[in-house]
Amino acid sequence: MAGGMPDRNFLISVFQQVDKDGSGAIDAGELQSALSNGNWTPFNPDTVRLMIGMFDKKGSGTITFEEFGALWKYVTDWQQCFRAFDRDSSGNISKEELKTAITTFGYRFSDQFYDVLMRRFDRSGKGVIHFDDFIQCCIVLHTLTQAFSFHDTDRDGVITITYEQFLHMVFSLRV
């Protein structure tokens, strides 16, 4: 995912358009209305919440202009990634395209697990994953992998944890 930071003046104008109430910070509602899925559907609020959480350094629940530049680059990079894996240019990701993407990211899953991912991240129920849900799928996989890796000290892909450790791991994740 390559690409440099956009021009500061461009970012200022975009930030001001997104910051509808002129507060100097962007909240989840403002960000959701500014992001496009490419299919006229509202951007997934869970994906918006995850992205704000990633770039909101002060924990305020909003994005300042300084944080917005990094968020903008992040979304732009994801768009390029999404387009690269949307081989048929349908504007969504099929199960086969998802397998290609996830495998390219270094994961090795069974065919049955891709069915689980499709059920979990196909909000439209049409057997495809849209842009916002693709981002969420990738963030969730990455976050869960990090949590698992913390316990997989010998790197064999197997962990032994207590039920309470498992619950702690699940409830402490921002997914």
Side-chain angles (χ1 to χ4, degrees):
M1 291 190 274
M5 276 299 245
D7 171 74
R8 183 174 170 84
N9 290 331
F10 170 75
L11 277 179
I12 289 171
S13 73
V14 173
F15 183 86
Q16 289 169 342
Q17 288 170 23
V18 176
D19 181 19
K20 297 276 186 230
D21 63 4
S23 66
I26 293 171
D27 63 23
E30 289 169 328
L31 183 60
Q32 181 185 20
S33 64
L35 291 171
S36 170
N37 226 350
N39 64 354
W40 307 105
T41 61
F43 218 78
N44 184 337
D46 291 335
T47 307
V48 173
R49 182 182 49 78
L50 277 173
M51 290 193 308
I52 284 190
M54 291 170 70
F55 293 96
D56 172 21
K57 300 299 177 220
K58 293 180 238 29
S60 62
T62 60
I63 300 289
T64 64
F65 175 71
E66 289 69 32
E67 296 162 335
F68 180 70
L71 175 80
W72 179 267
K73 183 179 181 331
Y74 184 77
V75 172
T76 304
D77 287 348
W78 272 117
Q79 283 176 320
Q80 291 171 352
C81 174
F82 182 83
R83 286 189 191 116
F85 291 113
D86 179 16
R87 298 255 197 263
D88 60 0
S89 300
S90 61
N92 53 55
I93 299 282
S94 67
K95 179 182 165 186
E96 287 307 311
E97 290 167 334
L98 181 66
K99 282 168 73 170
T100 301
I102 300 297
T103 303
T104 302
F105 299 153
Y107 296 99
R108 300 290 174 262
F109 297 128
S110 69
D111 213 44
Q112 292 81 7
F113 187 70
Y114 286 104
D115 291 333
V116 170
L117 289 176
M118 292 301 293
R119 279 194 304 275
R120 171 69 175 80
F121 295 102
D122 169 19
R123 282 192 311 144
S124 68
K126 295 180 178 156
V128 295
I129 296 179
H130 295 289
F131 177 55
D132 54 350
D133 299 315
F134 177 70
I135 296 173
Q136 185 187 14
C137 175
C138 295
I139 293 172
V140 167
L141 276 176
H142 177 74
T143 305
L144 291 172
T145 300
Q146 281 184 315
F148 184 91
S149 295
F150 176 78
H151 294 282
D152 186 16
T153 51
D154 59 357
R155 301 288 176 249
D156 67 354
V158 177
I159 61 173
T160 304
I161 56 175
T162 66
Y163 180 59
E164 187 173 332
Q165 285 173 311
F166 169 74
L167 290 176
H168 187 273
M169 188 168 81
V170 170
F171 289 135
S172 64
L173 295 176
R174 296 178 70 179
V175 292

